[in-house]
């Protein structure tokens, strides 16, 4: 008889979700080529080739934060000095409260406070929306369709088109076995996209988007359900994501529950 997989505690889930998120941004930076990625003890700094502060990050991965928050901020500014005018701090509601308070007290620009959400088990299969069909991305042509959808959809999240598009210009870097990219075609036209990434024993959902004129009919829910279930089939023990204001109701309907928040600040190097 096959042994049951050990359950994941909420503490372990938080750690795995953080590692999956950092790994996603590290991998994404490599898709564009020529990033700088520095692991300095419990900090990770990503200097993307893109000149857009929402694509270069400082992460704190310390489990026990005894240092004053200024130390982490100063480390980040030191890394990015001479490289960027500004960068992003993507923080953890469950582990970075002193840094979050420091950022708010010093009036750092708050981009979002995305809820971290988790799916504990595969979603029961339902019929696809009428005239919708799922296709897996496996070629340069289908990746180009994925890129087109994400480029349009992420403008609503204030990502310039040239920024979102840059991540998907090199198929040989994106089409990796740990990544599951899917398109939903409606009447033969690709109109919705989502990706799952396997790392650290779990799956993470990223790059979810639907063309504006095709929203509100369940396509994103269908696409996220399928990539999430595919990640479970590939061995993921949980599926995590960081929800936008548009996505949270969709994920809640699928059974995702909120387990933390990820405040996202912009920080000047000055």
């Amino acid at each position: 008889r096959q042994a049951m997989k050990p359950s994941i505690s909420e503490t372990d889930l938080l750690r795995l979700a953080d590692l999956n998120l950092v790994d996603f941004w590290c991998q994404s930076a490599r898709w564009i080529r020529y990033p700088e990625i520095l692991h300095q003890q419990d900090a990770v700094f990503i200097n993307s080739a893109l000149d857009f502060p929402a694509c270069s990050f400082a992460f704190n991965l310390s489990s026990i934060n005894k240092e004053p928050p200024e130390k982490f901020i100063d480390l980040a500014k030191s890394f990015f000095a001479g490289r960027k005018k500004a960068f992003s701090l993507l923080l953890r509601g469950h582990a970075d409260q002193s840094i979050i308070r420091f950022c708010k007290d010093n009036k750092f620009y708050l981009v979002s406070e995305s809820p971290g959400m988790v799916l504990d088990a595969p979603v029961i299969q339902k019929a696809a929306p009428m005239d919708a069909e799922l296709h897996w991305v496996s070629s340069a042509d289908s990746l180009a369709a994925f890129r087109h959808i994400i480029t349009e959809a992420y403008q609503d999240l204030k990502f310039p088109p040239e920024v979102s598009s840059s991540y998907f210009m090199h198929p040989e870097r994106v089409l990796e076995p740990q990544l599951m990219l899917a398109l939903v075609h409606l009447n033969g036209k690709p109109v919705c996209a989502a990706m799952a990434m396997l790392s650290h024993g779990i799956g993470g959902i990223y790059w979810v988007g639907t063309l504006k004129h095709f929203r509100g009919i369940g396509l994103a829910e269908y696409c996220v359900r399928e990539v999430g279930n595919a990640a479970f089939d590939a061995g993921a023990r949980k599926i995590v994501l960081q929800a936008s204001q548009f996505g949270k109701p969709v994920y809640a309907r699928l059974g995702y529950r909120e387990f933390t928040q990820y405040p996202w600040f912009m920080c000047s190097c000055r």
Side-chain angles (χ1 to χ4, degrees):
R1 187 168 62 88
Q2 187 174 9
M4 295 287 290
K5 291 181 181 178
S7 60
I8 297 177
S9 69
E10 288 294 294
T11 300
D12 288 345
L13 170 64
L14 290 166
R15 185 64 175 174
L16 295 173
D18 296 343
L19 294 172
N20 185 275
L21 176 60
V22 172
D23 199 32
F24 162 72
W25 281 112
C26 287
Q27 290 195 41
S28 295
R30 295 186 187 104
W31 297 347
I32 304 170
R33 296 182 175 178
Y34 313 120
E36 291 180 274
I37 301 173
L38 174 66
H39 294 252
Q40 185 172 336
Q41 291 188 327
D42 293 319
V44 179
F45 304 121
I46 302 171
N47 179 28
S48 167
L50 296 172
D51 189 18
F52 185 62
C55 298
S56 291
F57 289 94
F59 296 95
N60 178 40
L61 285 175
S62 175
S63 298
I64 302 174
N65 285 318
K66 294 184 177 179
E67 301 285 353
E70 296 93 330
K71 183 173 181 179
F72 173 71
I73 301 296
D74 289 345
L75 277 174
K77 288 184 175 183
S78 176
F79 173 78
F80 284 105
R83 293 175 169 93
K84 291 286 188 286
K85 294 179 181 178
F87 58 93
S88 291
L89 297 163
L90 193 45
L91 303 174
R92 307 163 295 167
H94 50 279
D96 292 326
Q97 280 301 317
S98 64
I99 303 174
I100 293 167
R101 284 194 300 271
F102 179 88
C103 291
K104 290 183 175 181
D105 290 346
N106 287 275
K107 296 181 169 49
F108 288 19
Y109 178 71
L110 179 61
V111 179
S112 65
E113 292 187 274
S114 298
M117 304 182 77
V118 60
L119 185 66
D120 297 301
V123 181
I124 296 173
Q125 295 285 356
K126 297 179 182 178
M130 185 176 295
D131 299 320
E133 188 175 59
L134 190 95
H135 294 256
W136 295 104
V137 173
S138 59
S139 67
D141 286 345
S142 54
L143 183 63
F146 191 100
R147 182 176 73 242
H148 171 72
I149 294 166
I150 295 301
T151 298
E152 180 187 297
Y154 272 64
Q155 291 182 63
D156 289 335
L157 296 175
K158 310 304 181 185
F159 271 65
E162 65 274 14
V163 169
S164 302
S165 179
S166 295
Y167 283 104
F168 307 102
M169 299 297 290
H170 302 286
E172 72 279 7
R173 290 175 172 267
V174 181
L175 300 179
E176 294 279 358
Q178 75 277 15
L179 303 173
M180 302 171 183
L181 292 85
L183 295 166
V184 174
H185 289 217
L186 191 66
N187 294 316
K189 175 184 172 66
V191 298
C192 180
M195 184 190 88
M197 186 192 79
L198 299 171
S199 83
H200 300 86
I202 63 173
I205 303 294
Y206 301 98
W207 294 120
V208 180
T210 305
L211 295 180
K212 188 168 294 187
H213 296 299
F214 299 92
R215 295 174 186 169
I217 56 175
L219 300 180
E221 185 172 336
Y222 170 48
C223 198
V224 170
R225 182 188 78 200
E226 294 303 309
V227 296
N229 283 351
F232 275 121
D233 289 343
R237 297 163 67 193
K238 302 275 187 179
I239 308 295
V240 298
L241 54 81
Q242 301 79 43
S244 70
Q245 58 181 320
F246 308 110
K248 185 177 179 180
V250 174
Y251 307 134
R253 287 195 297 270
L254 287 168
Y256 283 82
R257 59 181 173 85
E258 185 172 342
F259 68 102
T260 189
Q261 286 194 328
Y262 289 94
W264 183 340
F265 294 90
M266 293 290 184
C267 182
S268 170
C269 288
R270 291 180 296 178

